[in-house]
Amino acid sequence: MAGGRELTVITYRGIFQEVEEARGMYSDGYRDQSAVVALDGRDMKEMGVEAGEPVRLATASGDVVVAAKLSEEDHPGVAFMPASPWSAQLLSGDVGEDGFLELKRFAARASPGEGEVTTIGEIEAGIKAP
Amino acid sequence: MGLCTGCSLLCDDIVVELDGDKIGKTMNLCRKGHAHYNSLGSERLTPSVGGSQVGIEDAARAAGELLAGAENPLLFGWEGSTLEAQRAGVDLAKKLGSAIDGPSSYSQGMIAEKILAGEIPTCTFDDVRNFADVSIYWGDDPSSSHPRHMSRFSYFPRGEKRQKGYEEDREAIVIDVRKSPTAQIAADGFFKISPGGDGAFIEALTAALAGKIPKVEDKKRMLNLATKLRKAKFGAIFTGLGLAHSLRGDLSGFTALVGKLNELARFSVIPSLGDYNTRGFNQTLFDETGHVDAVSFKDGVSYGRKFGIARFLDSCDAVMVVGSDPAAVLPAALARKLAKVPMVAVGSHRTITSGLARVSVPTAVAGLEAGGAGLRTDGVKVEFDRLVGSVHLSDADVIRRIMEEV
Ligand code: SF4
């Protein structure tokens, strides 16, 4: 996890994402609602990222490019991301000694992203890769 | 009257006008329910084996053969299935001597199990609507996940002893790491905690209820909350994934807090479970085994985290996923493991998981195209008929058909 700003990422479910998921995961609408990260205003400024621009999130488990969203609240060092196949790429698959699989909170490095937001097709291809 | 299987509230007051054998105008659906109804026409799963389209009979046969030929199969999902399909699923697991598990094993299964075991008190939503003067939403944002929760049951409506509704008769308290839409409704009742701070909040509130000085920054506010809860006549605590994950399954502090609150007034816990019949699967498996997830029928009944999907993927040689999409939720490393296991996908719609399956067996959408029953997230049984016809079998019929091949 080299480079970028270290953030604690918390996943959540949003109503608009729930709606798009019911419509189907392969739609642009689902991607627009899922492949986003809500960032603190100061974090965005220091990263040099504007709302709507791509942000690369990386952990030891994987990385994705999602769109930046300006959070209405102040929460420096913390980012919020819809629980989705995009956030799942960043989660650790290690089951703790207590047998618990952490799906809500993880540390990630965030940096200005290059290129397009990761597509669901790219995620599927990564899962199917030999 | 129609019903919605869009979430575990199982709203049964949906007015549906039929346009021939199609759904026409509807009333009372929330935005999410609308999308669920509209999903009938898109992304439907089709029967296939090895990527080729086949008839439903061939798909069911191939599914049965794949499972019957395995040493260590796992039957996973079930929380988006009818009670009838869940019952058939448990019977199939017993017949196969397989493991059986659902998303509860990585969400709120531990809370659900304690409720079913009688270790955490609960009540129905009807009790909440009629009597609750304090609703606590803990790591829970029903405005997003269960959109009619607050309007049908927990905050806005009038009830037998709550004739003035939210304006005067009810208090909403939200404990969360972010100002969610539910927290915005609660306004002054929002307590923002730091990520993973639920345990510390439980400790501080327990201390404040015992008349001690809580170890938090804003002591006065915590003491005020304790005073408010002491005055409550009927409290309801709605839990979400946020609480379960923050406590990492260690519910001792939470259970003790609920116990303390019950010394003052009746306080009940209702988890806001995800898929429409999560509670049904929890109950079905609990009635059979005493556990809500992570069970194996290989040598009698065994229970343990090693039978939950996260660990069992290391040893299983076939998996059937029913009404669920674990590949979209599980960490990528586990989704990649899942992709390597020969898989049967049973469900109504195409998902990331079904895209990994060797065999796909489609089902009708419960509540719209097929009848059945489910348990609302508070445990109340709701029965439903189909509204429109379908070319697909019900989920229960599909599971029974697969079982015939085993
Ligand atoms: S709250 Fe849930 S069950 Fe009720 S209409 Fe909305 S999605 Fe359907």
Side-chain angles (χ1 to χ4, degrees):
Chain A
M1 274 205 286
R5 193 173 187 80
E6 180 142 6
L7 299 173
T8 298
V9 181
I10 312 273
T11 63
Y12 69 97
R13 304 284 298 181
I15 177 68
F16 296 106
Q17 183 205 15
E18 298 262 356
V19 167
E20 291 301 336
E21 184 173 328
R23 287 190 182 135
M25 278 194 159
Y26 295 89
S27 66
D28 290 345
Y30 182 67
R31 182 169 64 153
D32 292 347
Q33 292 299 330
S34 304
V36 291
V37 62
L39 296 163
D40 173 75
R42 215 160 3 135
D43 284 338
M44 280 177 78
K45 211 168 169 189
E46 285 174 21
M47 282 167 60
V49 171
E50 301 274 339
E53 288 183 355
V55 175
R56 177 171 296 277
L57 293 172
T59 67
S61 305
D63 65 300
V64 287
V65 177
V66 297
K69 193 175 146 188
L70 174 63
S71 199
E72 286 168 16
E73 288 177 88
D74 290 338
H75 44 75
V78 177
F80 294 99
M81 192 177 178
S84 73
W86 283 265
S87 61
Q89 303 316 297
L90 304 168
L91 294 167
S92 164
D94 294 339
V95 183
E97 277 190 15
D98 50 9
F100 205 78
L101 191 60
E102 179 59 74
L103 303 179
K104 283 289 290 178
R105 182 164 44 114
F106 54 89
R109 292 246 164 218
S111 51
E114 284 156 24
E116 298 289 310
V117 167
T118 307
T119 65
I120 195 94
E122 287 165 339
I123 290 174
E124 276 190 310
I127 292 172
K128 287 180 187 166
Chain B
M1 201 65 81
L3 171 126
C4 178
T5 47
C7 80
S8 60
L9 293 189
L10 290 173
C11 292
D12 56 1
D13 60 348
I14 310 303
V15 179
V16 182
E17 276 178 27
L18 291 179
D19 180 4
D21 197 31
K22 284 205 165 67
I23 289 168
K25 239 168 97 181
T26 57
M27 272 165 62
N28 294 340
L29 283 169
C30 71
R31 193 184 269 270
K32 184 173 164 180
H34 258 293
H36 176 62
Y37 266 55
N38 288 338
S39 75
L40 275 186
S42 59
E43 300 286 0
R44 297 303 296 265
L45 193 62
T46 50
S48 69
V49 177
S52 306
Q53 298 288 312
V54 296
I56 180 78
E57 282 301 317
D58 288 341
R61 195 171 307 118
E65 282 167 8
L66 193 150
L67 292 173
E71 284 280 313
N72 261 335
L74 167 67
L75 309 185
F76 181 83
W78 306 105
E79 297 181 359
S81 306
T82 56
L83 282 174
E84 294 79 2
Q86 292 168 349
R87 183 63 252 168
V90 171
D91 290 343
L92 177 58
K94 284 161 79 178
K95 191 171 182 183
L96 287 163
S98 75
I100 185 164
D101 187 37
S104 286
S105 71
Y106 47 77
S107 48
Q108 293 203 71
M110 285 171 193
I111 294 177
E113 191 163 303
K114 283 202 179 295
I115 286 174
L116 295 184
E119 292 168 29
I120 292 181
T122 193
C123 66
T124 66
F125 279 133
D126 306 281
D127 295 332
V128 171
R129 187 183 52 236
N130 285 324
F131 308 116
D133 53 351
V134 173
S135 289
I136 302 175
Y137 306 87
W138 201 321
D140 186 28
D141 176 24
S143 292
S144 300
S145 58
H146 299 71
R148 296 183 67 207
H149 192 289
M150 296 181 96
S151 61
R152 279 187 76 203
F153 303 116
S154 65
Y155 187 53
F156 293 111
R158 270 52 175 158
E160 197 182 310
K161 296 265 188 236
R162 296 288 159 252
Q163 285 300 316
K164 293 176 188 145
Y166 75 102
E167 294 100 325
E168 291 179 41
D169 263 354
R170 294 190 204 271
E171 187 102 37
I173 291 158
V174 176
I175 302 157
D176 210 332
V177 293
R178 70 185 184 108
K179 197 167 186 183
S180 65
T182 304
Q184 285 169 33
I185 292 168
D188 291 346
F190 173 44
F191 287 79
K192 186 169 177 169
I193 55 173
S194 57
D198 300 72
F201 194 91
I202 287 170
E203 226 173 85
L205 182 54
T206 306
L209 284 167
K212 295 179 190 154
I213 303 295
K215 288 185 195 143
V216 281
E217 223 170 273
D218 196 342
K219 295 181 175 38
K220 196 171 159 203
R221 195 156 181 246
M222 186 62 81
L223 288 166
N224 284 345
L225 174 62
T227 305
K228 203 175 277 177
L229 297 183
R230 258 194 232 109
K231 286 186 189 153
K233 292 188 178 66
F234 190 115
I237 304 172
F238 306 105
T239 61
L241 258 189
L243 176 67
H245 275 263
S246 177
L247 298 180
R248 292 192 67 89
D250 177 6
L251 297 178
S252 52
F254 178 71
T255 310
L257 172 63
V258 174
K260 179 86 204 154
L261 287 167
N262 272 280
E263 289 170 13
L264 308 167
R266 183 171 170 188
F267 270 82
S268 302
V269 176
I270 302 178
S272 295
L273 303 172
D275 292 326
Y276 84 87
N277 202 13
T278 300
R279 179 72 184 254
F281 182 59
N282 290 162
Q283 188 77 56
T284 303
L285 197 57
F286 185 85
D287 289 347
E288 184 77 33
T289 68
H291 297 283
V292 302
D293 54 22
V295 164
S296 168
F297 288 104
K298 192 158 191 152
D299 301 303
V301 177
S302 322
Y303 165 78
R305 292 291 104 205
K306 63 181 177 190
F307 301 119
I309 189 168
R311 288 204 177 149
F312 199 70
L313 281 177
D314 287 329
S315 58
C316 86
D317 55 355
V319 59
M320 179 163 81
V321 176
V322 181
S324 189
D325 190 9
V329 179
L330 288 172
L334 294 180
R336 282 195 289 274
K337 276 188 195 173
L338 180 64
K340 292 185 174 55
V341 181
M343 188 199 294
V344 177
V346 175
S348 55
H349 289 80
R350 191 162 82 95
T351 62
I352 296 187
T353 304
S354 71
L356 308 173
R358 197 174 282 182
V359 181
S360 296
V361 194
T363 67
V365 176
L368 299 177
E369 299 171 324
L375 296 189
R376 219 164 58 180
T377 195
D378 61 344
V380 169
K381 186 171 181 180
V382 181
E383 295 183 350
F384 44 87
D385 295 321
R386 72 179 173 87
L387 293 174
V388 293
S390 171
V391 294
H392 302 298
L393 296 173
S394 71
D395 54 3
D397 284 341
V398 164
I399 301 303
R400 289 188 202 110
R401 185 68 202 83
I402 291 172
M403 187 145 52
E404 284 169 17
E405 301 293 337
V406 171

